[in-house]
Amino acid sequence: LPCCCSSPDEETTAVVVVHISQSFFGASLFTFCLSKTMHGYKRAEYKARQADPKVAAGLRKKALQWNLLSTKLAERRLLSGRSLEELRITLTLIEKLLLVNPDPLYLYNHRREVLNTPLNDVLSPETEAPALFVLSDELNLTALCLKRNPKAYGAWFHRKWSISFYMKQKSDSSIESLLANELELCSEFLTLDERNFHCWNYRRFVISCLISYFSSSKVAEKLIPNGSWNCCSYVMGPQLADSNTTVDIGLDSALETLMSDPNITIIITCEWEFTGLKIESNFSNYSAFHYRSKLLPLIWSLQGAKEGEVKLASDELEIIHQAIYTEPDDQSAWWYYRFILEWLETMLKRPDHLEALGEILKEESRIIQELIDAEDGNCKWGVISLHMTQAKLLSITESSDRSNIDDSKRCMEDLSRLDPDRTQRYIDIIAQEK
């Protein structure tokens, strides 16, 4: 790789330019314009731009610059002395490289290593230690990197790390305004690229930091700003590694304490409404459905006692019905449909609730069958879901209904026709159900 070359001459560099220009600098051609999202960007346009002589010349120039800067950075890493000025020069070099190509993870690792350098090691004891870590610098850098490539894993991770690092140092009201601003930026970003799962993931990280900030002292002692929602019975794991561990304080009691805080209640409710708006604007937004599945248990803890599981599930099923009738072949809504029915089954599969569960499953079977008929039987995901609802109905009835078994078999036969690549799988399912 260019960063490993000690002193490459121009001829050698010219040979490798052709090979590295696409892998190292291809993302730069995808400069994120505010008027165009990443999804739906035609690959033919990208290839056409690469074939342009001016673009190719620009890539060669960037490759030479990258080679030179990488060599300088590698040389600086071998230096034994690390004065404050040298550390700042290293940070500047890393910034220049990231602005050329925001993807290499090792550059972010190197930057965090420098930012974590104990200043007492490079300054005399009587010297006032200036901070190498400045939050605004890191946020501005990652913003520029994400503008160049909105899907740069390293840039998103470094932004999370910067927020977490700052929160561990501060405990004042500036954190609240910082996180509120980050949420607003997420909303703007998702308006431009609504299915960017990196941004959705980052939004959940910011929400976890807000929950940590607003939590009561009992819960807050156990929370660390690493992106986890481990204060709740329904876990979202950490997004950052941390040497600290979260102590189990009794999940049910933690959830009750957490949701009693009005600030956190507002946060969760607003996120629920936000995912609803994103789904309404685009039923194909899998990330919004996924986030909603994580929020559902929390919303139920707020509303369940008043309205019950059936009312909450019915509202979600109505959203799903609109989505699947609009675009029957889109998998996003069908995935959420399966999740809702399984969640509802878990909540209602008790002797005193089986009748209500059965009525819901019967109604869903009717609705899905109508959709399949409207599509002239050519609705793979509808048939799969119809089989699922019928299987759940069979599981809660005391005696096997032969007609339901026959309906289930017909579903598998239809799937063999619609999805011939998996015919053997459907045959095996029929054999198991006899």
Side-chain angles (χ1 to χ4, degrees), residues 254-424:
L255 179 62
E256 183 179 352
T257 303
L258 185 77
M259 302 310 284
S260 64
D261 188 305
N263 290 311
I264 295 175
T265 298
I266 292 172
I267 290 172
I268 298 299
T269 303
C270 287
E271 289 301 282
W272 180 256
E273 294 173 353
F274 180 79
T275 58
L277 290 173
K278 288 301 177 184
I279 290 170
E280 287 178 6
S281 65
N282 184 359
F283 288 133
S284 186
N285 197 329
Y286 179 89
S287 294
F289 278 119
H290 175 259
Y291 190 14
R292 199 167 179 84
S293 74
K294 296 296 184 181
L295 292 170
L296 180 68
L298 302 179
I299 290 297
W300 177 79
S301 70
L302 293 175
Q303 302 177 359
K306 297 179 181 179
E307 301 180 350
E309 303 92 341
V310 175
K311 174 63 170 62
L312 183 56
S314 297
D315 292 342
E316 295 306 289
L317 288 171
E318 180 58 32
I319 295 174
I320 295 169
H321 294 159
Q322 295 179 32
I324 60 179
Y325 268 81
T326 301
E327 185 49 73
D329 293 328
D330 193 291
Q331 298 180 36
S332 302
W334 289 114
W335 174 87
Y336 191 56
Y337 183 69
R338 177 181 290 272
F339 169 82
I340 289 294
L341 289 186
E342 290 181 350
W343 176 79
L344 188 61
E345 183 182 29
T346 301
M347 302 299 290
L348 295 183
K349 205 168 186 179
R350 302 187 298 271
D352 55 332
H353 289 78
L354 286 181
E355 184 177 352
L357 177 59
E359 291 301 317
I360 292 174
L361 292 174
K362 289 178 182 178
E363 177 64 14
E364 288 306 308
S365 295
R366 183 190 65 78
I367 292 173
I368 299 303
Q369 185 63 63
E370 287 183 356
L371 173 62
I372 295 172
D373 293 340
E375 295 293 316
D376 296 326
N378 299 317
C379 183
K380 171 187 169 181
W381 296 104
V383 177
I384 290 175
S385 297
L386 179 61
H387 177 266
M388 176 187 66
T389 56
Q390 291 172 344
K392 292 184 182 300
L393 267 173
L394 281 172
S395 69
I396 64 174
T397 56
E398 294 182 359
S399 59
S400 297
D401 187 337
R402 188 68 236 177
S403 64
N404 286 338
I405 296 176
D406 292 339
D407 289 341
S408 179
K409 181 179 179 180
R410 278 194 292 272
C411 285
M412 292 297 102
E413 292 172 348
D414 290 341
L415 285 172
S416 296
R417 173 179 58 83
L418 295 170
D419 187 16
D421 291 340
R422 298 173 180 82
T423 297
Q424 189 57 51

Side-chain angles (χ1 to χ4, degrees), residues 166-176 213:
Y166 181 81
M167 287 186 67
K168 291 176 183 177
Q169 295 177 330
K170 302 286 184 177
S171 59
D172 52 30
S173 59
S174 65
I175 293 178
E176 182 179 355
Y213 176 75

